[in-house]
Amino acid sequence: MNFPSLPGLSCCSPAMCRDILRTFSETNNGEAAVQLMLRHIALMVGTSRAAIFSPVSPNGRSKRIIALPDWGLPHVASLPCHINTLELPIEKEDTLLGILHLTIASENLTYSTSLPDLSAELDLLSMALSKWNVEKKQKVQLRRHEKIARRLERQNSFMHSLYKISLDIVKQKDYARLMNTILIHAQNILEANFASIYLLNERLNLMEMKFIGPNVDPSVLGISLRQGQGGAGLVWTTGKFMVIHDYANWGNRVRLPWLDNVGTIAFLPLYYLNKMIGIICLGFADIDRSISASEKSMLQQF
């Protein structure tokens, strides 16, 4: 982000600067207004080092909120070794919003004798800092609402999927079509790159790859696994949902070249009347793809 500037600010009188900054603080974004005020105050006291820290918390710590960039005041000479750091409170309606740190080049400098009156500037800075705090809270709320909206959209998609699956059952459509419907909707809900279904062959005591989704190499059809073999074999043994990250380097993986493309893979057991009948596999290119509790809950409804 470029350091903000306003036309004519550097050559105005302090009173005119305050008027410009007051207007800017009221009409534009709070962060830029805080940076402008910090720059203006630094110019008034002749320093290029200024920062605002949060109020001291109960644990005795404070965090730097914002600092003046080193290139913000190129005409101010580098400070000598003998310096003082002044701490000035930034308050609004008896509430401490932060602490202004000014690094001044003088061993004997005191605020009362050597600095210009900054009370008006501190008032403007408190207004800008308060506005920035409100904006940050609004951004957090917006992100929270967007997250809830995405979750609701996914839940609606899930309910629609269950509705379509229920229609297939009611209309007594064939088993293969029902499984493909489950597969497609499970893949869509998690936005997976790959999806497939193993079905239990009780006669041979094997899990066999019977259905695959888009983007899956047909060579995987017909793969059969015993209990404990591969991810599906482990889920068959434990009966529990499982996620494996960096699948290509997992020691117990199924050794097929095409599966080198899978980063993360989730295995979801399929039950009917409390009996496991198969396993849904959902693959992702991302090796760190996490499955949230809500996603897991929706998938387990299948």
Side-chain angles (χ1 to χ4, degrees):
M1 177 178 178
N2 291 331
F3 193 77
S5 61
L6 290 179
L9 192 61
S10 59
C11 60
C12 291
S13 66
M16 189 173 295
C17 285
R18 286 195 293 268
D19 289 339
I20 294 173
L21 290 166
R22 181 180 290 106
T23 302
F24 186 82
S25 298
E26 291 172 349
T27 57
N28 288 272
N29 75 79
E31 181 181 4
V34 170
Q35 287 185 327
L36 281 168
M37 283 305 309
L38 204 57
R39 180 175 185 266
H40 176 58
I41 292 173
L43 279 169
M44 290 184 68
V45 300
T47 182
S48 60
R49 300 182 187 179
I52 297 174
F53 287 77
S54 62
V56 177
S57 59
N59 61 14
R61 297 179 180 178
S62 62
K63 181 177 69 173
R64 192 172 75 174
I65 299 173
I66 195 167
L68 187 69
D70 291 338
W71 40 269
L73 297 167
H75 63 280
V76 176
S78 298
L79 296 174
C81 297
H82 303 294
I83 59 175
N84 282 343
T85 299
L86 300 180
E87 298 183 357
L88 308 177
I90 307 170
E91 298 174 320
K92 185 175 182 182
E93 298 175 354
D94 297 327
T95 300
L96 182 63
L97 301 178
I99 306 294
L100 173 62
H101 285 220
L102 295 173
T103 304
I104 311 297
S106 172
E107 286 184 305
N108 302 315
L109 182 66
T110 61
Y111 175 64
S112 59
T113 61
S114 304
L115 285 182
D117 182 8
L118 297 176
S119 57
E121 280 70 21
L122 289 175
D123 285 343
L124 284 174
L125 185 55
S126 69
M127 181 174 65
L129 191 57
S130 178
K131 179 178 175 60
W132 188 19
N133 288 337
V134 170
E135 290 168 354
K136 287 190 287 188
K137 290 179 181 178
Q138 289 173 340
K139 288 180 180 178
V140 170
Q141 289 292 335
L142 179 60
R143 287 195 296 268
R144 188 174 299 160
H145 288 317
E146 289 174 346
K147 184 177 180 180
I148 292 172
R150 287 194 299 270
R151 185 184 303 165
L152 289 175
E153 183 179 356
R154 183 166 292 178
Q155 288 176 341
N156 288 338
S157 174
F158 170 71
M159 295 305 296
H160 180 67
S161 299
L162 287 184
Y163 170 72
K164 294 191 71 173
I165 293 170
S166 299
L167 282 182
D168 277 352
I169 295 174
V170 169
K171 293 177 181 179
Q172 297 183 352
K173 294 183 178 178
D174 63 273
Y175 186 72
R177 178 164 181 171
L178 175 62
M179 282 297 175
N180 275 315
T181 301
I182 292 174
L183 178 64
I184 291 170
H185 289 299
Q187 182 174 356
N188 289 340
I189 286 173
L190 262 70
E191 299 176 349
N193 299 100
F194 320 105
S196 60
I197 293 180
Y198 285 95
L199 291 181
L200 177 61
N201 186 325
E202 292 184 295
R203 183 177 61 84
L204 299 177
N205 195 32
L206 294 171
M207 279 286 178
E208 298 177 334
M209 181 76 75
K210 288 293 186 180
F211 302 97
I212 60 174
N215 306 322
V216 178
D217 192 311
S219 65
V220 303
L221 277 172
I223 293 175
S224 59
L225 302 174
R226 299 190 181 279
Q227 284 194 343
Q229 184 181 2
L234 284 177
V235 172
W236 183 12
T237 302
T238 64
K240 296 180 179 179
F241 178 85
M242 182 173 70
V243 178
I244 298 171
H245 300 286
D246 196 10
Y247 182 75
N249 295 311
W250 185 53
N252 196 32
R253 56 161 285 194
V254 175
R255 297 296 172 179
L256 284 177
W258 181 83
L259 291 174
D260 294 341
N261 300 318
V262 179
T264 297
I265 189 166
F267 297 92
L268 175 76
L270 276 173
Y271 286 93
Y272 178 69
L273 298 178
N274 295 322
K275 180 181 178 181
M276 188 185 295
I277 63 170
I279 296 169
I280 300 178
C281 308
L282 297 168
F284 307 85
D286 183 359
I287 64 173
D288 296 318
R289 171 65 157 87
S290 60
I291 309 297
S292 68
S294 61
E295 289 174 328
K296 178 181 175 183
S297 176
M298 286 190 291
L299 284 173
Q300 287 177 327
Q301 298 302 314
F302 284 115

